[in-house]
Amino acid sequence: MHVLIVEDEPSLVFTLKDTLENEGYKVHVTDDGQAALDFIENEVIPDLMILDVMLPGISGFDVCRKVREKKLMFPIIMLTARDQEIDKVTGLNIGADDYITKPFGVKELLARIQARVRRASTYSKVAAVDEITLGGDTVLKLNEGRVERPDGSEELTTREVELIRFLASYANEPVSRDALLENVWRYEYSTNTRTVDVHVSKLRTKLEVTPDDPQYLVTLHGVGYMLKTG
Ligand code: CA
């Protein structure tokens, strides 16, 4: 497990590096944003990045945005100054997975890292899947963003593909609306559980033979949704 710390405050870097190494992580450190991008490009693609917002040169937000533009999806936890609520929204909108406000306890950060790593390993299993077959004759070609049904083919949006991938990582298990908001929408500004319901309805018109009586993407009342595969 390689962790990249991007932070220009030496005492914080010292504490984080020491703590993470004691937990068995291989820790790399850069103290500015461009150096971080160069490191990722030329040295090691980390399994997780801890990224300060306020950095000399390019900001943590720009680093995050550039990483996601390259389609690198390792978890990013951003460090923000106290009370920068706007930073939280911005960070999650540009593809950060989590944020933590300074000053923070090392135990709290470790817990966040472990939660992200667990989730990432579940997710990456499914991220590598190209095809999911539903009910024997409906094929989700995720890399091509397409559903093939006996009666024709439908295009999927990027968000729909993400939604399917997340549901499929818990195939045949219930997934709550909150989990979908957190992981597929990353708490984007002005989204709520209704957003999830609207997208699920739209997706059903593409996956299901009878969208009003879904067989694959089913509602579990009071719980959430479940994708039935296999
Ligand atoms: Ca800083």
Side-chain angles (χ1 to χ4, degrees), residues 51 53 60-61 64-65 68 73 75-80 84-100 112 116 119 159 162 181-191:
L51 177 61
V53 172
F61 290 140
C64 181
R65 199 178 285 119
R68 295 305 190 223
M73 299 312 288
I76 298 177
I77 300 177
M78 303 206 71
L79 308 181
T80 74
Q84 287 180 292
E85 199 57 28
I86 184 69
D87 278 358
K88 174 188 176 185
V89 172
T90 312
L92 297 175
N93 271 341
I94 61 172
D97 296 275
D98 200 357
Y99 82 105
I100 190 163
R112 304 274 192 107
R116 285 295 144 191
R119 201 166 292 164
R159 178 85 68 188
E162 272 194 64
L181 265 186
E182 182 184 347
N183 292 283
V184 179
W185 278 268
R186 301 168 194 274
Y187 292 124
E188 276 169 24
Y189 192 62
S190 84
T191 55

Side-chain angles (χ1 to χ4, degrees), residues 29-42:
V29 176
T30 67
D31 60 4
D32 79 77
Q34 188 56 52
L37 292 170
D38 292 345
F39 179 86
I40 294 164
E41 177 100 33
N42 302 318

Side-chain angles (χ1 to χ4, degrees), residues 1 4 10 20 32 48 50 73 98 114 123-124 130 145 177 181 187 200-201 221-222 225:
M1 276 287 310
L4 175 59
L20 291 173
D32 79 77
L48 181 137
I50 297 168
M73 299 312 288
D98 200 357
Q114 280 152 5
Y123 189 78
S124 65
D130 292 345
R177 288 174 176 81
L181 265 186
Y187 292 124
V200 166
S201 294
H221 288 288
Y225 293 107

Side-chain angles (χ1 to χ4, degrees), residues 1-197:
M1 276 287 310
H2 291 266
V3 175
L4 175 59
I5 300 172
V6 190
E7 168 62 82
D8 58 328
E9 199 179 310
S11 60
L12 181 54
V13 168
F14 181 83
T15 310
L16 290 180
K17 187 169 193 288
D18 194 50
T19 308
L20 291 173
E21 282 177 350
N22 279 334
E23 293 290 318
Y25 296 103
K26 291 195 170 58
V27 180
H28 311 274
V29 176
T30 67
D31 60 4
D32 79 77
Q34 188 56 52
L37 292 170
D38 292 345
F39 179 86
I40 294 164
E41 177 100 33
N42 302 318
E43 310 272 337
V44 175
I45 295 176
D47 299 293
L48 181 137
M49 176 157 72
I50 297 168
L51 177 61
D52 190 27
V53 172
M54 296 294 289
L55 292 166
I58 64 175
S59 78
F61 290 140
D62 288 333
V63 173
C64 181
R65 199 178 285 119
K66 283 171 197 279
V67 165
R68 295 305 190 223
E69 277 168 13
K70 288 177 204 272
K71 305 282 179 226
L72 295 168
M73 299 312 288
F74 53 77
I76 298 177
I77 300 177
M78 303 206 71
L79 308 181
T80 74
R82 199 185 334 209
D83 296 335
Q84 287 180 292
E85 199 57 28
I86 184 69
D87 278 358
K88 174 188 176 185
V89 172
T90 312
L92 297 175
N93 271 341
I94 61 172
D97 296 275
D98 200 357
Y99 82 105
I100 190 163
T101 307
K102 293 177 180 177
F104 53 84
V106 165
K107 273 191 182 157
E108 190 190 349
L109 180 64
L110 273 181
R112 304 274 192 107
I113 290 173
Q114 280 152 5
R116 285 295 144 191
V117 168
R118 262 199 309 277
R119 201 166 292 164
S121 65
T122 312
Y123 189 78
S124 65
K125 270 188 286 181
V126 171
V129 172
D130 292 345
E131 277 191 17
I132 297 171
T133 303
L134 304 176
D137 56 8
T138 297
V139 182
L140 311 182
K141 300 210 161 179
L142 296 177
N143 289 0
E144 297 169 27
R146 209 152 39 83
V147 181
E148 287 185 352
R149 307 193 328 198
D151 57 348
S153 153
E154 294 268 10
E155 299 290 316
L156 294 168
T157 65
T158 306
R159 178 85 68 188
E160 287 169 342
V161 170
E162 272 194 64
L163 179 56
I164 292 167
R165 284 193 192 282
F166 191 79
L167 286 166
S169 71
Y170 296 93
N172 308 308
E173 291 175 40
V175 177
S176 71
R177 288 174 176 81
D178 282 334
L180 293 170
L181 265 186
E182 182 184 347
N183 292 283
V184 179
W185 278 268
R186 301 168 194 274
Y187 292 124
E188 276 169 24
Y189 192 62
S190 84
T191 55
N192 54 46
T193 54
R194 177 79 189 128
T195 311
V196 176
D197 297 339

